[in-house]
Amino acid sequence: MVPPAMSSSPPLPIAVLVSGTGTNLQALIDKVHGREAEIVAVGSSQPGVPALRRAELAGVSTAVFARSEYEDRAARDAAIADWLLQRGARLVVLAGYMELLSDVFLQRFPQAVINVHPSLLPAFPGLHAIEQALDYGVKVFGVTVHFVDSGVDTGPVISQRAVELQGATDADAVLQALHPIEHELLAEAVRSFAAGTLRIDPENPRRVLAAG
Ligand code: GRF
């Protein structure tokens, strides 16, 4: 029997930035690492977080870039970019990274930084998105994966999925419902980027083309 065709492209070197628990990082380790992508670096804004342990267990290089160690945010971001580029990263995934990235960073990775956010953007950007949605009284929650620009969760949308949760009152319960969606959409975005099928439309920079 003829074996199934194997993809000839080598895995895309990617980096992941984290600040906390790291379930999205874990999803990338489980779903795409060593396949379509190779996670070559995990950077954290916080020391001692579970996400760092997940990276170490997967044999991925880690580093902590605490804001207090640098003169300002731009200096910290330049140091992160230097490290990720030295490690060969071609895509940077923000997976629960609780810091804004300055332009000095974004210019080093043009159109190659993506983020996962637990709301249907442009609703409820920024911190505490689920709490914002609960306070507003929405019945439909959701997840957005988007390219990162210099605004707060304002970059072009790559993918979104809604989930109806009538009567939700508990942020943790909503997060538990959203997490599997986040993990799936983020892994899918990385696969598409690695395949070269994901890019921003030069004619309309708000629109992401995801050619098959
Ligand atoms: C996720 O809900 C993500 O949408 C938000 O931060 C959370 C990170 O969770 N940006 P985890 O650290 O990946 O578990």
Side-chain angles (χ1 to χ4, degrees), residues 77-197:
D77 290 356
I80 302 174
D82 285 346
W83 185 63
L84 301 187
L85 287 167
Q86 279 161 17
R87 309 272 324 146
R90 306 244 317 273
L91 169 71
V92 180
V93 180
L94 309 188
Y97 186 64
M98 305 305 280
E99 304 270 338
L100 285 180
L101 285 170
S102 41
D103 285 342
V104 292
F105 185 96
L106 297 175
Q107 283 158 9
R108 309 282 291 279
F109 290 94
Q111 301 191 355
V113 183
I114 68 175
N115 180 45
V116 58
H117 184 76
S119 78
L120 294 171
L121 292 170
F124 313 124
L127 295 175
H128 310 301
I130 294 172
E131 287 82 354
Q132 291 182 56
L134 282 169
D135 288 348
Y136 198 88
V138 301
K139 310 297 182 200
V140 177
F141 297 77
V143 169
T144 303
V145 175
H146 63 95
F147 280 107
V148 173
D149 65 11
S150 53
V152 177
D153 300 321
T154 51
V157 171
I158 296 169
S159 56
Q160 292 186 300
R161 190 177 301 162
V163 54
E164 192 175 334
L165 298 170
Q166 296 282 349
T169 55
D170 178 46
D172 274 344
V174 175
L175 183 63
Q176 292 317 311
L178 296 185
H179 258 154
I181 301 171
E182 291 192 333
H183 302 163
E184 187 184 330
L185 293 189
L186 192 58
E188 193 48 45
V190 170
R191 283 190 201 104
S192 300
F193 191 97
T197 58

